[in-house]
Amino acid sequence: MGWPYHFFFGAPAPPDFFFFPFTQRFAAPVPPATVGQSHPDAVLQTRPNIYIPPDIPSLIPILISIRLTMSQPELLESVDITSLNALAAGANKKNPRVVAAGLGGKLMGTKSIVDVTAEQMAKDSETFYEKDERERQKYRKQMHISEKPWTLSNWHQHINWLNSVLVVFVPAIGFYHAFTTAPQMKTVALAVFLYVLCGVSITAGYHRCFAHKAYDAHWSVRAFFAFFGAGAVQGSVKWWAHSHRIHHRYTDTNRDPYDAREGFWYSHMGWMLTKANPKNRARADISDLTSDPIVVFQHRHYLAVMVLSSVVLPCVVAGLGWGDWKGGFIYGGILRFFCIQQATFCVNSLAHWIGTQPFDDRRTPRDHVLTAFVTFGEGYHNFHHEFPSDYRNALKWYQYDPTKVCIWILSKFGLAWNLKTFSQNAIEQGLYQQQQKKLNRMKEKLNWGTSVQELPVWDRSYFNEIAKKEGLIIIAGIVHNVKNFIKEHPGGAALVNASLGKDATKAFNGAVYQHSNAAHNLLATMRVAVIKDSAVESNTFDLQEEMMAKKAI
Amino acid sequence: MSQATSRGVKIQKRKTQILPGDSRTARKALQKRKQDFLRRINYFSLLTAVLLPLCAIAYLIKEGLSVLPENPRTRWLGVIYYCITMLAFTAGYHKYYAHSTFRIRSSLLHVFFVVFGASIGLGPVRVWAAMHRAHHQYTDDVDRDPYSIKRGFLWAHWGWLLKRPKSTTFYKEFIEQEFPIVSGDNELSSKLTTGSAVITESDLRIGNALETYEIKVSDSKDRQRQTLEWMAWQESWNFILFILTSLLIPTLVAIWYCGDTWVNGLIYSGILRMFVSQQLIFFTESICHAKWLQVTIPSQPFNDKNLLVDCLNPIVALLTFGQALQNYHHEFPHDYRVSSLTWAFDPTKWFIWSLSCVGLVDELCKTPKDLVMQLRIQQKQQVLNHMRSQLNWGTPLSKLPMITAKEFNRLCQSAAGQDRIYIVIQNVIHDITPFMDQHPGGLALLQASHGKDATKAFYGGVYGHLTAAVNLLATMRIGVLDTGDDEGVWRRVAREEGDVDARDERQGGQHRSAEAA
């Protein structure tokens, strides 16, 4: 028996499909009819070569067209990957080149990230092994700093100094002063208030509105997000959304700016404290962002907006309000933005590290309530990567997603509209497939008994010869070896002994005792052979139901 | 007449139907029914499960006493005696006599089970165990399950005990078949064989052929006989034993050891303890069998075709000594444990296990882990299959029309003016129009691929789409592109639409004749 045989029987197609003439090529040699009419194989044997389903008469002209076009197949034009990649990278449009003004732009070095041509992008269609090989060839002679090992002489070249200053050194100074300055309660309240404003600006604004276009917002809301988002000191909208789009497009690959495969620390902060390898650069279409005047303005004057929003604002409010200039600067400014930074980094690290994967476990994103608590509801990351442009991150009522609620409230006030959701059908499909996958994995670990095809076929006389010696029993046309089980039979050994060497199908399936599902499973593991000239019913579950139904009548 | 009112609505309805007719015959019929009714009351159970507790509670109210005894020693006596008698019931009545999950090696245990089990006041073990076997064999069957939950919550809880079953002969025969009364050796063996099954006519013949199992069988028969004798003995002494263990022993212990009055000993450690254990045993039959009663998180990990639930309520589990996981128990009745988990709360299991360590019992029946797992998987699979059937997976390939490239191009041209997008992926034509605006990668990419084959771009050329995207795509199928490679299409159809059958096959689900193999 070759593969077509198993192929055919392993996966029988519904009968109404058999209008394709070539099916016969795959059909195994059908055995002559030896069993009764009720046997399901009867259907197989009487099936015509070409079966035209009566319920789809409209297919007939198509059938004819199959015949006509068989000889002259006409291939369809395939899309050009290069041009499509150019599209995806936004190279088709004339983007105004938005560069941060003055010192800020130079320090941020955004230019090097987006500096890549469409042709280079198109080469992505090769596998990563091929691509890695090509890159290796390219950098064989001259190594980028990120590929060189860290030594005492070059360590300062590895570090991205601007980010280090903003993310590590400034907070460190803040912490130092925090030990010497006691805050006023009002200042702490202000810090918490600003924390919430900036946090929501990052999640609802930077992330779901700008990066994913999950909804459209009024210009005032976008301006609010742009201002307070800058206060979180995580870069401009343009830069943030761009790298986030790249992250979604290239999750868990070398091109992923915060590649979770590199480890927790790298995806948390390491990626921004060190210089990125230019061979891993990628690009996404951000033409919608560069055409938004608010985003453009924020990017142009990012450094000024950032300083104003993150430090000056709390400092001035606390100073003018209750004279706590220094407390406002340290607690309302530095320590607050440090907390938001760490919370946001947790999405890149924690959400790819702990939790469950209810939708897809082929990539690293995970769902965890802890991450959700830290990040205003961005913790349901497996869902988010599967359905990125859904304005929700959590679906169930008990899952914590305040950002979703904020957006929903905005929409009720008419400040947000066009809230995007994926269909419930698609979401449940994802859930189903992942659960099925897990279940299949569990199934493979267990012994379900030899499949009927692999069993030898025995004559009845041969069976009679050895049955009593070997402790054999026939149930549903299959010989089972119950020798080692006799002692353990819950109904007593006598019953099993009495049916040794006999057909106990009826007794097993309800005449004596209606066995539980567990018993059916156990029985399957004891299969030895198939008996010739009898109806084989390997699915004893259905058989039992049939028999019990008959009995009930 | 309080009894008459508690007869139930059915009988009263009939009464009203009869009365308008001939009044004399009607009265006669009524009288007969009343007699029948009085005859059908189980007076022993009425006494133990209703009258004694009622009297005790009335006494408490009259004297203004608390539900818990004031004397701490009596309190401890109640708790300890509760544990002893409950263990005698769960391990003895339930796990041994009804389910024979282990083998007793010392008749001392028989004494313990039979004597202290009687103190719960649920009648002789012979009747109870047989009824319980009937309950397991005919679960949820209205006629034959003695405490079928389908006859109402109260019936399953209390009613079945107070009122003798209607089909008396059936139950009598059932009890006789399960636990025949024995007087002599010969009688027993004949009764055991005739009682056990249909196919056992040939028992003798087989017995000769199987010398190897001979000893085993006779050995087990001996033990069986012993068990039956103990059961018969207990049945005849049931009432005395009940008075002794349920009322006398706690009273005497309370007087001599706790220094309490005899009334307190009788009420608290005697009657109220009995009442609580009765109610808890009833709860496993009522609450844990009622799927519709959402008192706990309903959980049916092994079989959801019946009404049994694994009651995860910790209080019920605590007080019933872990007997609340009925879904597991009904699937694996011969398991001496209540759950396959090692650390499940299950004092009955601990008790039986310690007995086996001491050597008083052996051959504990344990379901293999794999079997439990298999059943769990099968149940989950059924739930998943249901879930799958409720979802839209797109038109199956076999139902889609075949469209040639020429026709497809014509279709695309005709749609050029309108805002429609057709994309071919893996030789299947998709109408992306409804999804156009939702595409996370943007509309431009879709428009650029309109009327083209975007297989490569879809599967990684531009973006490696995830499962969700593939599913969404499938719901938008409109046709199969005819490229002349029918074989490839058919293979795909078989793969996509045959996968359900293929999965079933792993569990042994195919119908074929042996000759083909």
Side-chain angles (χ1 to χ4, degrees), chain A residues 182-215:
Chain A
Q184 291 182 18
M185 278 318 287
K186 281 180 187 171
T187 316
V188 174
L190 175 75
V192 171
F193 180 67
L194 281 176
Y195 176 84
V196 173
L197 283 191
C198 293
V200 170
S201 294
I202 290 291
T203 57
Y206 269 45
H207 184 215
R208 298 193 199 178
C209 178
F210 291 120
H212 289 302
K213 292 185 282 181
Y215 62 99

Side-chain angles (χ1 to χ4, degrees), chain A residues 69-103:
Chain A
T69 53
M70 238 11 169
S71 48
Q72 60 236 354
E74 189 183 327
L75 286 172
L76 200 70
E77 188 195 349
S78 192
V79 288
D80 181 23
I81 303 274
T82 312
S83 65
L84 221 58
N85 261 317
L87 261 182
N92 62 322
K93 293 162 198 154
K94 279 187 183 162
N95 278 327
R97 188 140 179 78
V98 185
V99 180
L103 182 70

Side-chain angles (χ1 to χ4, degrees), chain A residues 354-370:
Chain A
I354 55 164
T356 55
Q357 300 186 307
F359 292 95
D360 199 336
D361 62 359
R362 289 179 301 175
R363 297 190 189 175
T364 50
R366 286 157 191 274
D367 283 6
H368 201 281
V369 66
L370 190 70

Side-chain angles (χ1 to χ4, degrees), chain B residues 164-214:
Chain B
R164 286 211 175 91
K166 246 181 212 159
S167 44
T168 337
T169 45
F170 168 74
Y171 284 115
K172 244 181 206 160
E173 271 171 23
F174 193 87
I175 293 172
E176 189 59 28
Q177 178 196 314
E178 292 293 334
F179 305 111
I181 295 272
V182 283
S183 47
D185 268 340
N186 297 329
E187 200 184 338
L188 169 79
S189 59
S190 71
K191 264 191 180 164
L192 275 181
T193 46
T194 50
S196 48
V198 183
I199 41 161
T200 40
E201 314 124 15
S202 49
D203 213 6
L204 285 175
R205 243 189 307 143
I206 300 301
N208 293 336
L210 282 161
E211 296 94 336
T212 38
Y213 308 120
E214 190 77 21

Side-chain angles (χ1 to χ4, degrees), chain A residues 70 97 106 160 221 226 238 281 301 329 333 393 401 493:
Chain A
M70 238 11 169
R97 188 140 179 78
K106 221 175 234 173
N160 183 336
V221 174
K238 178 175 170 269
R281 62 197 155 191
H301 307 282
F329 178 71
N393 252 19
D401 188 3

Side-chain angles (χ1 to χ4, degrees), chain A residues 103-256:
Chain A
L103 182 70
K106 221 175 234 173
L107 282 173
M108 279 189 278
T110 43
K111 194 169 171 291
S112 68
I113 294 175
V114 293
D115 200 15
V116 57
T117 58
E119 284 71 35
Q120 271 174 298
M121 301 302 305
K123 286 176 184 161
D124 278 0
S125 57
E126 57 193 315
T127 67
F128 282 112
Y129 301 110
E130 289 167 353
K131 195 193 72 184
D132 287 348
E133 183 57 36
R134 188 166 49 78
E135 294 285 352
R136 211 177 290 129
Q137 294 295 329
K138 190 177 167 188
Y139 280 99
R140 203 198 262 155
K141 280 173 192 163
Q142 46 154 73
M143 269 181 10
H144 185 257
I145 181 69
S146 63
E147 289 176 324
K148 290 178 189 162
W150 288 61
T151 60
L152 276 175
S153 58
N154 75 355
W155 65 272
H156 58 278
Q157 290 176 308
H158 274 281
I159 289 172
N160 183 336
W161 285 102
L162 175 77
N163 286 345
S164 304
V165 167
L166 287 176
V167 174
V168 179
F169 293 114
V170 172
I173 294 166
F175 270 109
Y176 172 74
H177 284 287
F179 284 114
T180 57
T181 321
Q184 291 182 18
M185 278 318 287
K186 281 180 187 171
T187 316
V188 174
L190 175 75
V192 171
F193 180 67
L194 281 176
Y195 176 84
V196 173
L197 283 191
C198 293
V200 170
S201 294
I202 290 291
T203 57
Y206 269 45
H207 184 215
R208 298 193 199 178
C209 178
F210 291 120
H212 289 302
K213 292 185 282 181
Y215 62 99
D216 297 333
H218 192 251
W219 66 266
S220 58
V221 174
R222 277 181 288 136
F224 176 89
F225 288 154
F227 180 75
F228 283 101
V233 196
Q234 294 179 7
S236 67
V237 171
K238 178 175 170 269
W239 177 81
W240 200 102
H242 192 185
S243 29
H244 193 75
R245 285 184 190 177
I246 294 169
H247 166 63
H248 270 269
R249 197 175 155 200
Y250 297 105
T251 313
D252 293 345
T253 66
N254 290 341
R255 286 201 191 283
D256 185 352

Side-chain angles (χ1 to χ4, degrees), chain B residues 87-335:
Chain B
L87 282 179
F89 186 87
T90 54
Y93 267 48
H94 186 217
K95 294 288 182 195
Y96 181 71
Y97 293 112
H99 294 306
S100 48
T101 60
F102 52 89
R103 208 173 61 163
I104 286 184
R105 294 185 59 185
S106 156
S107 40
L108 242 148
L109 264 185
H110 276 298
V111 177
F112 173 69
F113 287 154
V114 151
V115 169
F116 286 94
S119 77
I120 306 279
L122 289 181
V125 64
R126 183 163 165 262
V127 177
W128 190 88
M131 289 293 207
H132 194 74
R133 282 190 185 179
H135 165 64
H136 268 268
Q137 202 157 336
Y138 310 110
T139 312
D140 294 348
D141 186 325
V142 182
D143 293 324
R144 290 182 292 182
D145 180 357
Y147 24 99
S148 167
I149 191 72
K150 286 192 176 155
R151 291 182 68 177
F153 183 83
L154 271 182
W155 173 263
H157 188 77
W158 225 336
W160 67 273
L161 195 71
L162 306 181
K163 209 167 146 191
R164 286 211 175 91
K166 246 181 212 159
S167 44
T168 337
T169 45
F170 168 74
Y171 284 115
K172 244 181 206 160
E173 271 171 23
F174 193 87
I175 293 172
E176 189 59 28
Q177 178 196 314
E178 292 293 334
F179 305 111
I181 295 272
V182 283
S183 47
D185 268 340
N186 297 329
E187 200 184 338
L188 169 79
S189 59
S190 71
K191 264 191 180 164
L192 275 181
T193 46
T194 50
S196 48
V198 183
I199 41 161
T200 40
E201 314 124 15
S202 49
D203 213 6
L204 285 175
R205 243 189 307 143
I206 300 301
N208 293 336
L210 282 161
E211 296 94 336
T212 38
Y213 308 120
E214 190 77 21
I215 303 156
K216 198 87 213 165
V217 171
S218 69
D219 178 45
S220 76
K221 257 184 193 160
D222 226 33
R223 287 177 188 280
Q224 220 166 333
R225 196 170 140 266
Q226 206 185 11
T227 307
L228 291 175
E229 277 172 359
W230 276 107
M231 287 166 112
W233 178 80
Q234 197 230 19
E235 199 182 17
S236 53
W237 289 88
N238 179 42
F239 195 69
I240 310 288
L241 284 176
F242 167 73
I243 296 282
L244 177 77
T245 51
S246 189
L247 309 178
L248 269 182
I249 289 181
T251 315
L252 294 178
V253 173
I255 293 170
W256 286 333
Y257 183 69
C258 306
D260 213 336
T261 58
W262 69 270
V263 183
N264 279 356
L266 180 70
I267 298 277
Y268 290 120
S269 50
I271 296 171
L272 284 185
R273 169 206 53 82
M274 176 186 78
F275 183 63
V276 169
S277 29
Q278 275 171 1
Q279 290 303 313
L280 284 165
I281 289 159
F282 296 157
F283 273 142
T284 61
E285 306 299 357
S286 55
I287 289 182
C288 300
H289 284 63
K291 186 159 88 170
W292 35 267
L293 199 74
Q294 308 267 329
V295 283
T296 59
I297 304 162
S299 145
Q300 300 191 303
F302 300 104
N303 192 353
D304 65 355
K305 285 193 185 114
N306 50 33
L307 298 166
L308 308 155
V309 288
D310 269 7
C311 182
L312 298 168
N313 192 331
I315 301 165
V316 178
L318 194 74
L319 290 172
T320 53
F321 283 7
Q323 303 295 305
L325 303 180
Q326 289 290 322
N327 202 273
Y328 180 91
H329 174 61
H330 271 256
E331 280 307 322
F332 310 104
H334 296 283
D335 198 329

